[in-house]
Amino acid sequence: MLEYAGFPIYTGVWVNYGAPNRLLGSTLTISTSNGGLLSAFLAIFVSLVGLAFWRILSFALHQIRAKEAFQDGFHHQQQLIFRNTSSASDAFWQLLLLPYYWGKNARSAWMRTLPLALLTLINVVAFAIAAIFSSEITKGPGNGVLIRSADCGSLDFDTDNNAFSEYRAAYSTVLLNDTTEASAYTRNCYGSNANGLRCNRYVQRKIPWKTNVNASCPFADDLCFFGENGAMEMDTGPIDSHHALGINVPKADRITYRKVATCSPLRTPPKYRTVWNQTNPDYLTYGDIYDHFLFGPIEDTVNFTYRYNRHSILEEYAYTLKSVSTFDSWKPVPALLQRNSDLSLFFLAANTLAYGAPVSDPFFSANIPRTVLGPTNTNMTVYDSDDYVNVLGCIDQHQYCNPNNNKCTTLMGSESTIDEILALNMSVKQFSIAALIAPQQQVLSIFNSVNGRGSGALRASESLFELSQVGLPNDQWMSEVSSWFAITLAKLQEIPIRRAIGPSYVPAGSKLKLASLPEEIRLCKSQMILSPGGTTSFSVLGIGIILIVGILLILLSLFLDSLTGYFRSKFPKHDYKQIQWGLDGIFQLHRLAYEAAGQGTWTGGADSVPITKQGDLIRVPDFHADSKHPTLRMRDKREDPAQLSESDQITTAQAQDQSSGGEEEQKTPLVAYAPVLSSEAAA
């Protein structure tokens, strides 16, 4: 386990079920420092595999080119390169040197070299690229990591042991805090210019949705501002519990969730609005005039939905935004009430705010001109709101689907959720995911994207300067509703993560309730987030392929001689190829040269390393006689170490050195220096 950026990240082997199968999804997550070491090891290992592969390739090239017939020296030197170079890069260079030295002495030297040089170059480049990108080959599927916490659970607002007011305060505090965090996230991450540093939390940066600005209005026609087909509908479509929410379970255990919200500005005809005067002198608001909006009573409280004090336009403050919902004891009138949905109303007042240009947006409408004294003591025209309060209505709907049988609930509100989910024949594991989301549907409403935030919930507030504002676009209400809808989706993304690691804080009036059911605990251990850093994930399959294939190639290169020797002993037709491979080795070339010069008594002519008998001494090439063409000369019997004492051997060597300057020795040409098999040797 590794703690990073406030997240307890699981380290070790796990399966990312977002891959097509378990094998491809097998993932190793380790710390960044250990990941660097593993990447370095893999790069070095691939380089070593490249050397092993060259040995195999060079053996194949040597054997394919080995012939019983006579070949020129150029051919045999190419064979020596394939036999004795340890790397493809070394072979590439030496192959290019041959035609340079041979020139016209070899037939078509460059044409015989370039294809071979190109083949070695391809080998060099291929394994260089493989070493560099070995970490990419082994990169884990996706960018997610698992989180594990001992605080897996949720807040429990225990009304039995706390006064209702304390419970309500704790719940409201948590709800408002979650909304504020979701709003900040959507501001940074749901726009086109996402701030990457602040968006490394969810496995999917944002949940997309489709917008229909000509949707059917869910309210009575006389209330919908743009008529029957003038509402704005936002529909996420099916949201996969794995890809969007990071709940890492096999495909058969997943569900999809769909969120739909439909909003429209509302008209306020006289039957839904009255003006009321405060005539009781005992109240501080005596003489104030109120607008009462009659969209249904607040149960056991008042017989109106919302009221606005017109005195507010004198109080010198800008927007106020209030909201009501069927969650909050509001009983809407039949013209608003929709079955299978959760309803919210939003009341916006601009108060003393003045706009620098007319505003035609129905939720912010301001077209009443007024002349004021500008900052340079000149008259200027500003525009006041067309009404004290403008109203907007929204409905929220939810849908759950079982991908295994393609059964779905209807689009519904919060009240009928569980019964319909039970009818989908979900497995226990699927139901546990649905049961994680369903109780939070009220939290996921547009109402709770606004409730408690006041004017802070408005994007329009961001362009305010004291009590003035430039004009707003005609579709500003759509921008506001879209931002509120985005907040609901960011909250949805946060729900499983917050359950997995526990609440960020526990206010008074609440307590942490740890998960106890097996499926709850399983979900907590299956939660993914986008890697916040501090860890590196590798594909277990990728690592396995590199190691297994690499080890097999290394072993094959080590035992290649023995294996081919064994099989050719069963089929001796091409024994000469194996013999040529052996004789072209540096140790056998060494033996052939000295043996031809009569120096040393050699054994092991068919082995990888020939040896002389114990005590044999051999002479270095005679470079004093002709430094431009050194040779091995035949041994004089007087130089036989077996017939001389140690002191005599030293004296003889000194005498030979002294005489070599004035006397030209008889030289014997090195007839066996090149690995050319004569017909006699072949016989």
Side-chain angles (χ1 to χ4, degrees), residues 70 677-683:
F70 284 93
L677 296 179
S678 65
S679 58
E680 292 81 6

Side-chain angles (χ1 to χ4, degrees), residues 145-147 245-247 496-497 500 523-529:
V145 293
L146 280 182
I147 52 177
L245 305 184
I247 302 175
I497 294 177
L523 280 184
C524 287
K525 292 182 177 181
S526 302
Q527 185 59 45
M528 292 195 308
I529 62 169

Side-chain angles (χ1 to χ4, degrees), residues 209-428:
W209 68 87
K210 293 182 179 180
T211 301
N212 178 11
V213 296
N214 296 309
S216 175
C217 184
F219 313 119
D221 291 345
D222 62 333
L223 290 178
C224 294
F225 190 90
F226 294 108
E228 181 180 357
N229 295 311
M232 176 182 177
E233 180 186 78
M234 295 155 288
D235 188 344
T236 64
I239 299 171
D240 186 273
S241 59
H242 174 91
H243 296 292
L245 305 184
I247 302 175
N248 185 43
V249 295
K251 192 172 183 179
D253 296 333
R254 301 176 195 171
I255 68 166
T256 62
Y257 165 79
R258 177 185 174 198
K259 174 71 189 294
V260 180
T262 307
C263 299
S264 174
L266 300 181
R267 300 182 184 277
T268 55
K271 66 178 179 179
Y272 297 113
R273 183 173 183 173
T274 62
V275 177
W276 178 78
N277 296 322
Q278 177 58 268
T279 57
N280 189 338
D282 295 334
Y283 286 90
L284 293 176
T285 56
Y286 173 69
D288 287 355
I289 301 175
Y290 290 86
D291 286 270
H292 283 188
F293 292 85
L294 308 177
F295 292 110
I298 306 298
E299 189 176 14
D300 301 327
T301 306
V302 292
N303 61 357
F304 52 82
T305 310
Y306 171 74
R307 72 176 181 179
Y308 175 78
N309 190 339
R310 294 184 179 181
H311 190 269
S312 299
I313 63 173
L314 305 176
E315 297 296 331
E316 296 193 353
Y317 56 87
Y319 294 117
T320 55
L321 180 64
K322 301 293 183 181
S323 54
V324 296
S325 173
T326 49
F327 304 140
D328 201 19
S329 302
W330 171 47
K331 301 298 181 184
V333 296
L336 291 174
L337 186 60
Q338 296 291 317
R339 295 185 59 189
N340 300 323
S341 65
D342 299 319
L343 173 64
S344 305
L345 289 186
F346 305 92
F347 300 89
L348 175 65
N351 301 309
T352 318
L353 180 65
Y355 296 90
V359 178
S360 298
D361 182 283
F363 197 41
F364 294 86
S365 180
N367 295 282
I368 301 175
R370 175 166 55 93
T371 301
V372 297
L373 190 64
T376 58
N377 293 322
T378 57
N379 290 335
M380 61 179 296
T381 301
V382 296
Y383 296 86
D384 294 329
S385 292
D386 295 338
D387 203 344
Y388 293 105
V389 176
N390 294 312
V391 186
L392 184 143
C394 291
I395 63 169
D396 292 277
Q397 294 176 296
H398 315 267
Q399 186 180 56
Y400 297 81
C401 292
N402 181 352
N404 296 330
N405 55 22
N406 294 322
K407 288 185 176 181
C408 298
T409 66
T410 58
L411 281 170
M412 57 189 178
S414 300
E415 294 183 358
S416 57
T417 300
I418 296 299
D419 290 340
E420 289 212 29
I421 291 175
L422 289 173
L424 299 181
N425 297 324
M426 289 184 174
S427 67
V428 174

Side-chain angles (χ1 to χ4, degrees), residues 52 55-56 551-563:
R55 177 166 171 78
I56 298 170
I551 290 173
L552 289 176
L553 288 175
I554 291 173
L555 291 176
L556 179 60
S557 69
L558 293 176
F559 297 101
L560 191 60
D561 292 355
S562 301
L563 289 173

Side-chain angles (χ1 to χ4, degrees), residues 490-511:
K491 287 182 179 181
L492 172 65
Q493 291 175 288
E494 183 68 17
I495 286 173
I497 294 177
R498 187 55 56 195
R499 180 60 176 265
I501 63 175
S504 56
Y505 72 103
V506 182
S510 65
K511 62 182 179 181

